[in-house]
Amino acid sequence: MAYPILYSFRRCPYAMRARLAIFSAELKHEHREILLKEKPKAFLDLSSKGTVPVLLTENNKLIKESLDIMKWALKKNDPEKLLNIESEKHFSVFISKLDNDFKNNLDNYKYLHKEDPNKLICRNNACEFLQQLDLQLNNQKWLFGETPKIYDLVSLPFIRQFANVDRSWFDNQSFKNIHRWLSSFLDSDRFFSIMYKYKKWTPTDIPTLNDFEKI
Ligand SMILES: N[C@@H](CCC(=O)N[C@@H](CS)C(=O)NCC(=O)O)C(=O)O
């Protein structure tokens, strides 16, 4: 196989973070857009788990977790030094808070019925994490200074999802650093590029090559 293949879904925050890492690593790859409502058999045959993102490397290795795809891409090429972080252990704790606690609260806030009291309890719980990030972003552009790190790229797609549940409520909250951080991400070429609208992939399609070096 000439190029790695990324199976992705445009609005999925996990797929977004994988695309952010691949974009930063400037890796040529084939993009296959999957609709979660109608997953092609060829995709399910490859990954019975049925979640996106999934990456098939040029050596036929299958990577089924967004974080592993990010690390795979950035270990190949990391011009922004996103992986230059102080402590792997600190990063693992951060990921666990984000992917478990924050994401569970976000899902409940997003999907519970508006009359369910847990909806707002979960929104408040999620805000505790946002408050920590807001504090961390004080006087700096990104979570760890003036350049992004993997921390920013793993989390921003989920912060966007949280903000979009009720945009006017979110905009009225006092997370001034988060507002700035999120807006500058949403206005960036990086975000624009990874949100390109591909048509859905069908197994007979000819490859959709994605060469980020040319953007
Ligand atoms: N732990 C996985 C989670 C991926 C995930 O849950 N993706 C969702 C979409 S955002 C999915 O594919 N869900 C399957 C479905 O909705 O059928 C990762 O980090 O890649």
Side-chain angles (χ1 to χ4, degrees), residues 98-146:
L98 175 69
D99 283 11
N100 301 317
D101 309 344
F102 181 76
K103 178 63 173 144
N104 290 339
N105 284 317
L106 164 58
D107 285 347
N108 287 336
Y109 167 43
K110 184 170 168 161
Y111 297 112
L112 286 179
H113 188 269
K114 63 178 188 312
E115 307 287 324
D116 189 325
N118 280 326
K119 193 177 178 81
L120 294 188
I121 292 174
C122 288
R123 183 175 76 182
N124 282 345
N125 293 343
C127 283
E128 285 173 24
F129 182 64
L130 294 188
Q131 259 144 15
Q132 288 167 21
L133 297 190
D134 198 63
L135 212 60
Q136 172 122 7
L137 285 161
N138 215 9
N139 295 325
Q140 53 190 20
K141 200 165 171 220
W142 301 91
L143 286 169
F144 284 87
E146 292 312 303

CSV table of all heavy atoms in Angstrom, one decimal, residues 98-146:
chain,number,residue,atom,x,y,z
A,98,LEU,N,-10.0,13.8,30.6
A,98,LEU,CA,-10.7,14.3,29.4
A,98,LEU,C,-11.6,13.2,28.8
A,98,LEU,O,-12.8,13.4,28.6
A,98,LEU,CB,-9.6,14.7,28.4
A,98,LEU,CG,-10.1,15.1,27.0
A,98,LEU,CD1,-10.9,16.5,27.1
A,98,LEU,CD2,-9.0,15.3,26.0
A,99,ASP,N,-11.0,12.0,28.6
A,99,ASP,CA,-11.7,11.0,27.9
A,99,ASP,C,-12.7,10.2,28.7
A,99,ASP,O,-13.7,9.6,28.2
A,99,ASP,CB,-10.8,10.0,27.3
A,99,ASP,CG,-10.1,10.5,26.0
A,99,ASP,OD1,-10.2,11.8,25.8
A,99,ASP,OD2,-9.4,9.8,25.3
A,100,ASN,N,-12.5,10.3,30.1
A,100,ASN,CA,-13.5,9.6,30.9
A,100,ASN,C,-14.4,10.6,31.6
A,100,ASN,O,-15.6,10.8,31.1
A,100,ASN,CB,-12.8,8.7,32.0
A,100,ASN,CG,-11.9,7.7,31.3
A,100,ASN,OD1,-12.3,7.1,30.3
A,100,ASN,ND2,-10.7,7.6,31.8
A,101,ASP,N,-13.9,11.3,32.6
A,101,ASP,CA,-14.8,12.2,33.3
A,101,ASP,C,-15.5,13.3,32.4
A,101,ASP,O,-16.7,13.4,32.4
A,101,ASP,CB,-14.1,12.9,34.4
A,101,ASP,CG,-13.3,11.9,35.3
A,101,ASP,OD1,-13.6,10.7,35.2
A,101,ASP,OD2,-12.4,12.4,36.0
A,102,PHE,N,-14.7,14.1,31.8
A,102,PHE,CA,-15.2,15.2,31.0
A,102,PHE,C,-16.2,14.7,29.9
A,102,PHE,O,-17.3,15.2,29.7
A,102,PHE,CB,-14.1,16.1,30.4
A,102,PHE,CG,-14.6,17.2,29.6
A,102,PHE,CD1,-15.2,18.4,30.3
A,102,PHE,CD2,-14.6,17.2,28.2
A,102,PHE,CE1,-15.7,19.4,29.6
A,102,PHE,CE2,-15.1,18.3,27.5
A,102,PHE,CZ,-15.7,19.4,28.2
A,103,LYS,N,-15.7,13.7,29.2
A,103,LYS,CA,-16.5,13.1,28.0
A,103,LYS,C,-17.8,12.5,28.5
A,103,LYS,O,-18.9,12.7,27.9
A,103,LYS,CB,-15.7,12.1,27.3
A,103,LYS,CG,-16.4,11.5,26.1
A,103,LYS,CD,-16.8,12.4,25.0
A,103,LYS,CE,-17.3,11.7,23.8
A,103,LYS,NZ,-18.4,12.3,23.1
A,104,ASN,N,-17.8,11.8,29.7
A,104,ASN,CA,-19.1,11.3,30.2
A,104,ASN,C,-20.0,12.4,30.6
A,104,ASN,O,-21.2,12.4,30.3
A,104,ASN,CB,-18.9,10.4,31.4
A,104,ASN,CG,-18.2,9.1,31.0
A,104,ASN,OD1,-18.2,8.7,29.9
A,104,ASN,ND2,-17.5,8.5,32.0
A,105,ASN,N,-19.5,13.5,31.2
A,105,ASN,CA,-20.3,14.6,31.6
A,105,ASN,C,-20.9,15.3,30.3
A,105,ASN,O,-22.0,15.7,30.3
A,105,ASN,CB,-19.6,15.6,32.5
A,105,ASN,CG,-19.4,15.1,33.9
A,105,ASN,OD1,-20.4,14.5,34.4
A,105,ASN,ND2,-18.2,15.1,34.5
A,106,LEU,N,-20.0,15.5,29.4
A,106,LEU,CA,-20.4,16.1,28.1
A,106,LEU,C,-21.5,15.3,27.4
A,106,LEU,O,-22.5,15.9,27.0
A,106,LEU,CB,-19.1,16.2,27.2
A,106,LEU,CG,-19.3,16.5,25.7
A,106,LEU,CD1,-20.1,17.8,25.5
A,106,LEU,CD2,-18.0,16.6,25.0
A,107,ASP,N,-21.4,14.0,27.3
A,107,ASP,CA,-22.4,13.2,26.7
A,107,ASP,C,-23.8,13.3,27.4
A,107,ASP,O,-24.8,13.4,26.8
A,107,ASP,CB,-22.0,11.7,26.6
A,107,ASP,CG,-21.0,11.5,25.5
A,107,ASP,OD1,-20.8,12.4,24.7
A,107,ASP,OD2,-20.3,10.4,25.5
A,108,ASN,N,-23.7,13.3,28.8
A,108,ASN,CA,-25.0,13.4,29.5
A,108,ASN,C,-25.6,14.8,29.3
A,108,ASN,O,-26.8,14.9,29.1
A,108,ASN,CB,-24.7,13.2,31.0
A,108,ASN,CG,-24.5,11.7,31.3
A,108,ASN,OD1,-24.9,10.8,30.5
A,108,ASN,ND2,-23.8,11.4,32.4
A,109,TYR,N,-24.7,15.8,29.4
A,109,TYR,CA,-25.2,17.2,29.1
A,109,TYR,C,-25.8,17.3,27.7
A,109,TYR,O,-26.9,17.9,27.5
A,109,TYR,CB,-24.0,18.2,29.3
A,109,TYR,CG,-24.2,19.6,28.9
A,109,TYR,CD1,-25.4,20.3,29.1
A,109,TYR,CD2,-23.2,20.2,28.2
A,109,TYR,CE1,-25.6,21.6,28.7
A,109,TYR,CE2,-23.4,21.5,27.7
A,109,TYR,CZ,-24.6,22.2,28.0
A,109,TYR,OH,-24.7,23.5,27.5
A,110,LYS,N,-25.2,16.7,26.8
A,110,LYS,CA,-25.6,16.8,25.4
A,110,LYS,C,-26.9,16.0,25.1
A,110,LYS,O,-27.8,16.5,24.4
A,110,LYS,CB,-24.5,16.4,24.5
A,110,LYS,CG,-24.8,16.6,23.0
A,110,LYS,CD,-23.6,16.4,22.1
A,110,LYS,CE,-24.0,16.3,20.7
A,110,LYS,NZ,-23.1,16.5,19.7
A,111,TYR,N,-26.9,14.8,25.6
A,111,TYR,CA,-28.0,13.8,25.2
A,111,TYR,C,-29.1,13.6,26.1
A,111,TYR,O,-30.2,13.2,25.7
A,111,TYR,CB,-27.3,12.5,24.8
A,111,TYR,CG,-26.4,12.6,23.6
A,111,TYR,CD1,-25.0,12.4,23.8
A,111,TYR,CD2,-26.8,12.9,22.4
A,111,TYR,CE1,-24.1,12.5,22.7
A,111,TYR,CE2,-25.9,13.1,21.3
A,111,TYR,CZ,-24.6,12.8,21.5
A,111,TYR,OH,-23.7,13.0,20.4
A,112,LEU,N,-28.9,14.0,27.4
A,112,LEU,CA,-30.1,13.7,28.3
A,112,LEU,C,-31.2,14.7,28.0
A,112,LEU,O,-31.0,15.8,27.5
A,112,LEU,CB,-29.6,14.0,29.8
A,112,LEU,CG,-28.8,12.9,30.4
A,112,LEU,CD1,-28.4,13.2,31.9
A,112,LEU,CD2,-29.5,11.5,30.4
A,113,HIS,N,-32.4,14.3,28.3
A,113,HIS,CA,-33.6,15.1,28.0
A,113,HIS,C,-33.5,16.4,28.9
A,113,HIS,O,-33.0,16.4,30.0
A,113,HIS,CB,-34.9,14.3,28.4
A,113,HIS,CG,-36.1,15.0,28.0
A,113,HIS,ND1,-36.8,15.8,28.8
A,113,HIS,CD2,-36.8,14.9,26.8
A,113,HIS,CE1,-37.8,16.3,28.2
A,113,HIS,NE2,-37.9,15.8,27.0
A,114,LYS,N,-34.1,17.5,28.3
A,114,LYS,CA,-33.9,18.8,29.0
A,114,LYS,C,-34.5,18.8,30.4
A,114,LYS,O,-34.1,19.6,31.2
A,114,LYS,CB,-34.3,19.9,28.1
A,114,LYS,CG,-35.8,20.0,27.7
A,114,LYS,CD,-36.0,21.2,26.9
A,114,LYS,CE,-37.4,21.6,26.5
A,114,LYS,NZ,-38.3,20.6,26.0
A,115,GLU,N,-35.5,17.9,30.6
A,115,GLU,CA,-36.1,17.9,32.0
A,115,GLU,C,-35.3,17.1,33.0
A,115,GLU,O,-35.6,17.1,34.2
A,115,GLU,CB,-37.5,17.3,31.9
A,115,GLU,CG,-38.4,17.9,30.9
A,115,GLU,CD,-38.9,19.2,31.3
A,115,GLU,OE1,-39.2,19.4,32.5
A,115,GLU,OE2,-39.1,20.1,30.4
A,116,ASP,N,-34.3,16.3,32.5
A,116,ASP,CA,-33.6,15.4,33.4
A,116,ASP,C,-32.6,16.3,34.2
A,116,ASP,O,-31.7,17.0,33.7
A,116,ASP,CB,-32.8,14.4,32.5
A,116,ASP,CG,-32.2,13.3,33.4
A,116,ASP,OD1,-31.7,13.6,34.5
A,116,ASP,OD2,-32.1,12.2,32.9
A,117,PRO,N,-32.7,16.2,35.6
A,117,PRO,CA,-31.9,17.1,36.4
A,117,PRO,C,-30.4,16.8,36.3
A,117,PRO,O,-29.5,17.6,36.5
A,117,PRO,CB,-32.3,16.8,37.9
A,117,PRO,CG,-33.2,15.6,37.8
A,117,PRO,CD,-33.7,15.4,36.4
A,118,ASN,N,-30.1,15.5,35.9
A,118,ASN,CA,-28.7,15.2,35.7
A,118,ASN,C,-28.0,15.9,34.6
A,118,ASN,O,-26.8,16.0,34.5
A,118,ASN,CB,-28.6,13.7,35.4
A,118,ASN,CG,-28.6,12.9,36.7
A,118,ASN,OD1,-28.2,13.3,37.7
A,118,ASN,ND2,-29.3,11.7,36.6
A,119,LYS,N,-28.8,16.4,33.6
A,119,LYS,CA,-28.3,17.2,32.5
A,119,LYS,C,-27.4,18.4,33.0
A,119,LYS,O,-26.3,18.5,32.6
A,119,LYS,CB,-29.4,17.7,31.6
A,119,LYS,CG,-29.0,18.2,30.3
A,119,LYS,CD,-30.2,18.5,29.5
A,119,LYS,CE,-29.9,19.1,28.1
A,119,LYS,NZ,-29.6,18.1,27.1
A,120,LEU,N,-28.0,19.1,33.9
A,120,LEU,CA,-27.3,20.3,34.4
A,120,LEU,C,-26.2,20.0,35.4
A,120,LEU,O,-25.2,20.7,35.5
A,120,LEU,CB,-28.3,21.4,34.9
A,120,LEU,CG,-29.2,22.0,33.8
A,120,LEU,CD1,-30.0,23.1,34.4
A,120,LEU,CD2,-28.4,22.4,32.6
A,121,ILE,N,-26.5,18.9,36.2
A,121,ILE,CA,-25.4,18.5,37.1
A,121,ILE,C,-24.2,18.1,36.3
A,121,ILE,O,-23.1,18.5,36.7
A,121,ILE,CB,-25.9,17.2,37.9
A,121,ILE,CG1,-27.1,17.7,38.9
A,121,ILE,CG2,-24.8,16.6,38.7
A,121,ILE,CD1,-27.8,16.6,39.6
A,122,CYS,N,-24.4,17.4,35.2
A,122,CYS,CA,-23.2,17.0,34.4
A,122,CYS,C,-22.6,18.2,33.7
A,122,CYS,O,-21.4,18.2,33.6
A,122,CYS,CB,-23.7,16.0,33.4
A,122,CYS,SG,-24.0,14.4,34.2
A,123,ARG,N,-23.4,19.2,33.3
A,123,ARG,CA,-22.8,20.4,32.8
A,123,ARG,C,-21.9,21.1,33.8
A,123,ARG,O,-20.8,21.5,33.5
A,123,ARG,CB,-23.9,21.4,32.3
A,123,ARG,CG,-23.3,22.6,31.6
A,123,ARG,CD,-24.4,23.5,31.1
A,123,ARG,NE,-25.1,24.2,32.1
A,123,ARG,CZ,-26.2,25.0,31.9
A,123,ARG,NH1,-26.6,25.2,30.6
A,123,ARG,NH2,-26.7,25.7,32.9
A,124,ASN,N,-22.4,21.1,35.0
A,124,ASN,CA,-21.6,21.7,36.1
A,124,ASN,C,-20.3,21.0,36.4
A,124,ASN,O,-19.2,21.5,36.6
A,124,ASN,CB,-22.4,21.8,37.4
A,124,ASN,CG,-23.4,22.9,37.4
A,124,ASN,OD1,-23.3,23.8,36.6
A,124,ASN,ND2,-24.3,22.9,38.3
A,125,ASN,N,-20.4,19.6,36.4
A,125,ASN,CA,-19.2,18.8,36.6
A,125,ASN,C,-18.2,19.1,35.5
A,125,ASN,O,-17.0,19.2,35.7
A,125,ASN,CB,-19.6,17.3,36.5
A,125,ASN,CG,-20.4,16.9,37.7
A,125,ASN,OD1,-20.5,17.7,38.7
A,125,ASN,ND2,-21.1,15.8,37.7
A,126,ALA,N,-18.7,19.1,34.2
A,126,ALA,CA,-17.8,19.4,33.1
A,126,ALA,C,-17.1,20.7,33.2
A,126,ALA,O,-16.0,20.9,32.9
A,126,ALA,CB,-18.6,19.3,31.8
A,127,CYS,N,-17.9,21.7,33.8
A,127,CYS,CA,-17.3,23.0,34.0
A,127,CYS,C,-16.1,23.1,35.0
A,127,CYS,O,-15.2,23.9,34.9
A,127,CYS,CB,-18.4,24.0,34.5
A,127,CYS,SG,-19.4,24.5,33.1
A,128,GLU,N,-16.1,22.1,35.9
A,128,GLU,CA,-14.9,22.0,36.8
A,128,GLU,C,-13.6,21.8,36.0
A,128,GLU,O,-12.6,22.4,36.3
A,128,GLU,CB,-15.1,20.9,37.8
A,128,GLU,CG,-16.1,21.3,38.9
A,128,GLU,CD,-16.4,20.2,39.8
A,128,GLU,OE1,-15.6,19.3,40.0
A,128,GLU,OE2,-17.5,20.2,40.4
A,129,PHE,N,-13.7,20.9,35.0
A,129,PHE,CA,-12.5,20.7,34.2
A,129,PHE,C,-12.2,22.0,33.3
A,129,PHE,O,-11.0,22.4,33.2
A,129,PHE,CB,-12.8,19.5,33.2
A,129,PHE,CG,-11.7,19.1,32.3
A,129,PHE,CD1,-10.5,18.6,32.9
A,129,PHE,CD2,-11.8,19.2,31.0
A,129,PHE,CE1,-9.4,18.2,32.0
A,129,PHE,CE2,-10.8,18.8,30.1
A,129,PHE,CZ,-9.6,18.3,30.7
A,130,LEU,N,-13.2,22.6,32.8
A,130,LEU,CA,-13.0,23.8,32.0
A,130,LEU,C,-12.4,24.9,32.9
A,130,LEU,O,-11.5,25.7,32.4
A,130,LEU,CB,-14.3,24.3,31.4
A,130,LEU,CG,-15.0,23.4,30.4
A,130,LEU,CD1,-16.2,24.1,29.7
A,130,LEU,CD2,-14.0,23.0,29.3
A,131,GLN,N,-12.8,25.0,34.1
A,131,GLN,CA,-12.2,26.0,35.0
A,131,GLN,C,-10.7,25.7,35.2
A,131,GLN,O,-9.9,26.7,35.2
A,131,GLN,CB,-12.9,26.0,36.4
A,131,GLN,CG,-13.9,27.1,36.5
A,131,GLN,CD,-15.1,26.8,37.3
A,131,GLN,OE1,-15.1,25.8,38.0
A,131,GLN,NE2,-16.1,27.6,37.2
A,132,GLN,N,-10.3,24.5,35.3
A,132,GLN,CA,-8.9,24.2,35.4
A,132,GLN,C,-8.1,24.6,34.2
A,132,GLN,O,-7.0,25.2,34.2
A,132,GLN,CB,-8.7,22.7,35.6
A,132,GLN,CG,-9.1,22.2,37.0
A,132,GLN,CD,-9.1,20.6,37.0
A,132,GLN,OE1,-8.5,19.9,36.2
A,132,GLN,NE2,-9.9,20.1,38.0
A,133,LEU,N,-8.7,24.3,33.0
A,133,LEU,CA,-8.1,24.7,31.7
A,133,LEU,C,-8.0,26.2,31.6
A,133,LEU,O,-7.0,26.7,31.2
A,133,LEU,CB,-8.8,24.1,30.5
A,133,LEU,CG,-8.9,22.6,30.4
A,133,LEU,CD1,-9.5,22.2,29.0
A,133,LEU,CD2,-7.6,21.9,30.6
A,134,ASP,N,-9.1,26.9,32.0
A,134,ASP,CA,-9.1,28.3,31.9
A,134,ASP,C,-8.0,29.0,32.7
A,134,ASP,O,-7.3,29.9,32.3
A,134,ASP,CB,-10.5,28.9,32.4
A,134,ASP,CG,-10.7,30.3,31.9
A,134,ASP,OD1,-10.8,30.5,30.7
A,134,ASP,OD2,-10.8,31.2,32.7
A,135,LEU,N,-7.8,28.4,33.9
A,135,LEU,CA,-6.7,28.9,34.8
A,135,LEU,C,-5.3,28.6,34.1
A,135,LEU,O,-4.4,29.5,34.1
A,135,LEU,CB,-6.8,28.1,36.1
A,135,LEU,CG,-6.3,28.8,37.4
A,135,LEU,CD1,-7.2,30.0,37.6
A,135,LEU,CD2,-6.5,27.8,38.6
A,136,GLN,N,-5.2,27.5,33.6
A,136,GLN,CA,-3.9,27.1,32.9
A,136,GLN,C,-3.6,27.9,31.7
A,136,GLN,O,-2.5,28.2,31.4
A,136,GLN,CB,-4.1,25.6,32.5
A,136,GLN,CG,-3.0,25.1,31.7
A,136,GLN,CD,-2.3,23.9,32.3
A,136,GLN,OE1,-2.8,23.4,33.3
A,136,GLN,NE2,-1.2,23.5,31.7
A,137,LEU,N,-4.7,28.4,31.1
A,137,LEU,CA,-4.5,29.3,29.9
A,137,LEU,C,-4.2,30.7,30.2
A,137,LEU,O,-4.0,31.5,29.3
A,137,LEU,CB,-5.7,29.2,29.0
A,137,LEU,CG,-5.9,27.9,28.2
A,137,LEU,CD1,-7.4,27.7,27.7
A,137,LEU,CD2,-5.0,27.8,27.0
A,138,ASN,N,-4.2,31.1,31.5
A,138,ASN,CA,-4.0,32.5,31.8
A,138,ASN,C,-2.7,33.0,31.3
A,138,ASN,O,-1.6,32.3,31.5
A,138,ASN,CB,-4.1,32.6,33.4
A,138,ASN,CG,-4.7,33.9,33.8
A,138,ASN,OD1,-5.2,34.6,32.9
A,138,ASN,ND2,-4.6,34.2,35.0
A,139,ASN,N,-2.7,34.1,30.6
A,139,ASN,CA,-1.5,34.7,30.1
A,139,ASN,C,-0.7,33.9,29.1
A,139,ASN,O,0.5,34.1,28.9
A,139,ASN,CB,-0.5,35.1,31.2
A,139,ASN,CG,-1.1,36.2,32.1
A,139,ASN,OD1,-1.9,37.0,31.6
A,139,ASN,ND2,-0.9,36.1,33.4
A,140,GLN,N,-1.3,32.9,28.5
A,140,GLN,CA,-0.6,32.2,27.5
A,140,GLN,C,-1.6,31.7,26.4
A,140,GLN,O,-2.8,31.5,26.7
A,140,GLN,CB,0.2,31.0,28.0
A,140,GLN,CG,-0.5,30.0,28.9
A,140,GLN,CD,0.5,29.1,29.5
A,140,GLN,OE1,1.7,29.4,29.6
A,140,GLN,NE2,0.0,27.9,29.9
A,141,LYS,N,-1.1,31.6,25.2
A,141,LYS,CA,-1.9,31.3,24.0
A,141,LYS,C,-2.5,29.8,24.1
A,141,LYS,O,-3.6,29.6,23.8
A,141,LYS,CB,-1.1,31.5,22.8
A,141,LYS,CG,-1.9,31.7,21.6
A,141,LYS,CD,-1.1,32.2,20.4
A,141,LYS,CE,-2.0,32.2,19.2
A,141,LYS,NZ,-1.3,31.8,18.0
A,142,TRP,N,-1.6,28.9,24.5
A,142,TRP,CA,-2.0,27.5,24.5
A,142,TRP,C,-1.8,27.0,25.9
A,142,TRP,O,-1.3,27.7,26.8
A,142,TRP,CB,-1.1,26.7,23.5
A,142,TRP,CG,-1.2,27.2,22.1
A,142,TRP,CD1,-0.4,28.1,21.5
A,142,TRP,CD2,-2.1,26.8,21.1
A,142,TRP,NE1,-0.7,28.3,20.2
A,142,TRP,CE2,-1.8,27.5,19.9
A,142,TRP,CE3,-3.1,25.8,21.0
A,142,TRP,CZ2,-2.5,27.3,18.7
A,142,TRP,CZ3,-3.8,25.7,19.9
A,142,TRP,CH2,-3.5,26.4,18.7
A,143,LEU,N,-2.2,25.7,26.1
A,143,LEU,CA,-2.2,25.2,27.5
A,143,LEU,C,-0.8,25.2,28.1
A,143,LEU,O,-0.7,25.3,29.4
A,143,LEU,CB,-2.8,23.8,27.5
A,143,LEU,CG,-4.3,23.7,27.4
A,143,LEU,CD1,-4.7,22.2,27.1
A,143,LEU,CD2,-5.0,24.2,28.6
A,144,PHE,N,0.2,25.0,27.3
A,144,PHE,CA,1.6,25.0,27.9
A,144,PHE,C,2.5,26.0,27.3
A,144,PHE,O,3.7,25.8,27.1
A,144,PHE,CB,2.2,23.6,27.7
A,144,PHE,CG,1.6,22.6,28.8
A,144,PHE,CD1,0.4,22.0,28.5
A,144,PHE,CD2,2.1,22.5,30.0
A,144,PHE,CE1,-0.2,21.1,29.4
A,144,PHE,CE2,1.5,21.7,31.0
A,144,PHE,CZ,0.4,21.0,30.7
A,145,GLY,N,2.0,27.2,27.0
A,145,GLY,CA,2.8,28.3,26.5
A,145,GLY,C,2.4,28.9,25.2
A,145,GLY,O,1.2,28.9,24.9
A,146,GLU,N,3.3,29.3,24.4
A,146,GLU,CA,3.0,30.1,23.2
A,146,GLU,C,2.9,29.2,22.0
A,146,GLU,O,2.6,29.7,20.9
A,146,GLU,CB,4.1,31.2,23.0
A,146,GLU,CG,4.0,32.3,24.1
A,146,GLU,CD,2.6,32.8,24.3
A,146,GLU,OE1,1.9,33.3,23.3
A,146,GLU,OE2,2.1,32.7,25.5
